[in-house]
Amino acid sequence: MLELACGTGLWTRVLARHAQRVTAVDAAPEMLALNRERLAAAGRTNVDYLRADLFRWEPPRASYHACFFAFWLSHVPESRFAGFWETVALALKPGGRVFFIDSARSEHSTAADHHLPEGNEDTMRRRLDDGREFQIVKRFYDPDLLHKRLAELGFDVEVRSTGEYFIYGSGRPSR
């Protein structure tokens, strides 16, 4: 199992309970450290950690039965969208599957002091608890349009919405 942009380990902990082995990849050493602590506290030893920039990283070809990422796709800039999905395809074994979850476009799915970008904008201001603010990439997807786009890239992925807060998808490369 491959987890991209694993962050602090909220999802890694779940994946590690169900997978024989998990490769957790993130660019931030701080996130990997928090993830390691969380998994160690849960008694999980079946996770391998890899620090890598997902836009430059080349996965070992056809190495994983499944690839998972949560709340990452919305941070992939448009200019890197196709390349990111090429990376996913390269990492998967024949018949391998991809699973993802992300934010739906909703005023209710973001913090009270965050404002959604206009329809065609792909960045938003994010304020941290300590008051610092950052301009981040944040793209929201319509499930039907994302399904169509992924099909154009060679993926057979079903994309759905929970209604108010989330979108999610599962499928595989069409190759």
Side-chain angles (χ1 to χ4, degrees):
M1 164 72 69
L2 174 64
E3 182 184 15
L4 301 177
C6 64
T8 64
L10 290 171
W11 292 95
T12 313
R13 181 178 56 193
V14 175
L15 297 171
R17 285 196 308 250
H18 300 284
Q20 190 172 43
R21 197 111 206 115
V22 175
T23 300
V25 183
D26 203 290
E30 300 86 355
M31 292 296 108
L32 293 172
L34 290 169
N35 192 311
R36 275 190 186 95
E37 289 174 23
R38 176 171 273 146
L39 275 286
R44 296 285 166 199
T45 59
N46 59 333
V47 178
D48 299 312
Y49 292 96
L50 177 61
R51 181 179 173 204
D53 176 342
L54 291 178
F55 300 125
R56 290 185 166 72
W57 179 60
E58 291 188 30
R61 291 185 182 270
S63 296
Y64 300 95
H65 291 287
C67 176
F68 174 80
F69 42 97
F71 305 99
W72 166 249
L73 189 59
S74 59
H75 297 294
V76 175
E78 173 59 32
S79 63
R80 296 178 182 242
F81 185 86
F84 170 72
W85 284 98
E86 286 176 29
T87 298
V88 171
L90 284 172
L92 291 172
K93 291 182 177 194
R97 297 187 58 84
V98 60
F99 303 90
F100 64 87
I101 185 170
D102 216 310
S103 303
R105 183 177 186 82
S106 169
E107 288 290 339
H108 303 290
S109 68
T110 190
D113 61 347
H114 295 162
H115 300 285
L116 292 174
E118 295 298 322
N120 60 350
E121 293 181 29
D122 63 357
T123 62
M124 69 183 288
R125 185 163 301 283
R126 175 77 47 96
R127 182 177 298 125
L128 302 182
D129 290 341
D130 65 8
R132 291 181 297 155
E133 292 187 354
F134 298 90
Q135 192 75 12
I136 64 165
V137 171
K138 187 67 175 176
R139 301 176 69 219
F140 296 94
Y141 293 96
D142 171 272
D144 292 334
L145 295 177
L146 181 56
H147 167 81
K148 182 179 178 183
R149 184 118 186 257
L150 292 175
E152 291 169 357
L153 293 176
F155 280 83
D156 181 15
V157 175
E158 187 173 330
V159 185
R160 296 190 174 191
S161 171
T162 61
E164 185 70 39
Y165 299 106
F166 307 110
I167 65 166
Y168 60 97
S170 67
R172 58 178 42 105
S174 305
R175 56 185 149 116

